[in-house]
Amino acid sequence: MTTMARETTTTPARRAAHPAPAAQAGTPARTPADAPAPAPAGRGRPPSAAPQPGPAAPAADRPSAAASRGSEIRRHELAGFLRSRRERIPPEQVGLPRGRRRRTPGLRREEVAQLSAVGVTWYTWLEQARDIQVSEQVLDALARTLLLDASERAHLFQLAGAVDPSPAAQCPAITPALRHMLTQLEPVPACIQNSRYDILAYNRTYARLLMSDLDAVRPEDRNCMVLVYTNAEWRRSIVQLDDAMRMMAAKLRGSMAGHLGEPAWKMLVKRLTAESAEFREHWERYEVVGGARSRTKQFLNPYVGLVTVDHTDLWLAPDLGARMVTYVPTDEESRERLERLYALALADGNPERDGRPA
């Protein structure tokens, strides 16, 4: 009994001097679940030590590798998408000559770069799936050059890991009550705009006041600044066009003071600067106009002729610049012409739109 007591109370130092033999090959190692339960206290037998797990890779490294792989896949998808969209556009569709030695069925890389106002090398890297940063402004320019529809544009921004700042993608919630109000105002033309001149919602009369059909304009192009400086049909409808453009540029500059770091605002100014010499001239004047001003305007409609209206802004959210714009006829002749215009819109069978893609 005395000998047994001495053997079962061997000190840790003595156990370390005589390690247990290694497990034989093919013998399964004990897991914590297989290990015997510790003996009750006072029996003289210390609990068996559970085997320690081997070293594992840091957890932080595994998500990083997965994220890197996902980013690489998106870059290759983006490159393939851009190539496919580029090759489907014949040069004549964007006003370029085909030439004799054109190997690609569509646009060349350098042509896309030129039309989008980006470097040829940079665009080539983009189609080669290089790891480069792409801004919202560049993605917007590429979307317009490649004639992407709303779904393709959303796909482009998603592959690039960017947020589309255009009103087509981020249209504020237009409540049913506001849409109903726009409808009830007909035949008075009315729309809802923000301080960047994005047209967020409009009724049927407004859709045909300054052009044949605003519904036919791409959602990302439904912006009064873009239309007044670049759309020939819209420009022909405005009496005293130069005064209107200068006023709008001055109002845009005044509103932009509170949005200097926002991509959508920078994107709009960059686009107008690139596409319109008139805008560059007006913008460089640094004229500023603020506040709401009710004023009389005249439009030369392609269907009913000259219409004279009082322009009024009804502010919906002053902090965001959202406002309802109404054009109330100033005389009986203009009222009758707007009623005829509304009747034509009804005959077309198109309901009022909320500024978002169908």
Side-chain angles (χ1 to χ4, degrees):
M1 293 294 295
T2 303
T3 303
M4 291 178 62
R6 283 199 299 269
E7 290 175 353
T8 57
T9 57
T10 303
T11 62
R14 292 180 62 185
R15 286 199 303 272
H18 302 280
Q24 296 180 358
T27 302
R30 279 183 172 181
T31 63
D34 299 327
R43 296 289 181 90
R45 296 183 63 183
S48 300
Q52 299 298 318
D61 291 342
R62 291 193 297 272
S64 175
S68 177
R69 177 59 178 164
S71 177
E72 182 181 358
I73 292 174
R74 282 196 301 273
R75 290 200 305 272
H76 282 278
E77 286 290 328
L78 175 61
F81 179 67
L82 289 173
R83 283 195 299 271
S84 69
R85 301 302 89 177
R86 169 172 62 84
E87 292 174 353
R88 73 173 183 177
I89 302 175
E92 298 87 354
Q93 190 172 355
V94 292
L96 295 176
R98 172 167 291 277
R100 296 181 179 179
R101 295 186 177 182
R102 181 173 295 273
R103 297 178 181 177
T104 176
L107 296 176
R108 300 188 180 100
R109 286 176 176 173
E110 56 267 26
E111 291 171 337
V112 173
Q114 178 184 359
L115 293 171
S116 304
V118 300
V120 176
T121 301
W122 184 92
Y123 180 77
T124 301
W125 287 351
L126 197 59
E127 281 203 8
Q128 291 175 345
R130 302 282 189 96
D131 188 5
I132 58 177
Q133 296 295 321
V134 191
S135 70
E136 293 90 347
Q137 294 93 326
V138 168
L139 291 173
D140 173 72
L142 290 175
R144 288 184 283 106
T145 296
L146 298 175
L147 307 177
L148 303 186
D149 62 23
S151 298
E152 292 169 334
R153 180 186 175 95
H155 186 63
L156 172 69
F157 276 82
Q158 186 176 22
L159 289 177
V163 177
D164 187 355
S166 75
Q170 295 186 338
C171 181
I174 305 298
T175 66
L178 287 175
R179 282 195 287 268
H180 181 68
M181 187 179 299
L182 289 174
T183 303
Q184 292 300 305
L185 285 172
E186 291 176 325
V188 171
C191 71
I192 297 176
Q193 300 177 12
N194 59 19
S195 53
R196 201 171 54 237
Y197 284 102
D198 295 320
I199 304 172
L200 308 177
Y202 51 91
N203 61 22
R204 284 164 289 199
T205 320
Y206 183 89
R208 287 156 180 79
L209 179 62
L210 286 90
M211 61 192 320
S212 57
D213 190 0
L214 183 58
D215 290 351
V217 177
R218 295 187 303 173
E220 58 268 25
D221 292 338
R222 290 178 196 156
N223 174 283
C224 291
M225 292 293 297
V226 171
L227 293 170
V228 79
Y229 278 101
T230 67
N231 186 285
E233 187 178 9
W234 191 278
R235 291 163 59 89
R236 284 194 299 268
S237 298
I238 300 177
V239 180
Q240 298 179 337
L241 176 63
D242 189 66
D243 291 343
M245 290 191 297
R246 284 187 58 184
M247 174 66 70
M248 292 172 67
K251 290 185 67 175
L252 181 70
R253 183 175 285 281
S255 299
M256 193 170 180
H259 306 273
L260 293 176
E262 297 181 20
W265 288 76
K266 295 189 294 184
M267 186 171 71
L268 175 61
V269 173
K270 183 176 180 180
R271 175 182 178 180
L272 290 169
T273 301
E275 296 183 8
S276 172
E278 291 171 307
F279 177 80
R280 291 194 297 271
E281 177 186 349
H282 295 156
W283 193 249
E284 290 170 1
R285 293 173 182 265
Y286 278 84
E287 296 175 336
V288 177
V289 173
R293 296 184 178 185
S294 296
R295 54 197 178 277
T296 300
K297 292 185 174 182
Q298 288 186 313
F299 301 111
L300 189 59
N301 184 266
Y303 297 114
V304 299
L306 183 66
V307 176
T308 305
V309 296
D310 283 331
H311 173 139
T312 303
D313 289 328
L314 306 174
W315 296 92
L316 304 175
D319 55 330
L320 299 177
R323 63 191 184 275
M324 181 176 291
V325 178
T326 61
Y327 293 136
V328 179
T330 60
D331 53 64
E332 185 64 22
E333 186 177 24
S334 295
R335 184 188 65 78
E336 292 176 354
R337 290 179 176 178
L338 286 178
E339 288 179 350
R340 295 209 320 264
L341 185 62
Y342 175 55
L344 289 172
L346 287 178
D348 288 342
N350 293 329
E352 95 284 348
R353 297 286 297 275
D354 63 0
R356 290 172 287 186

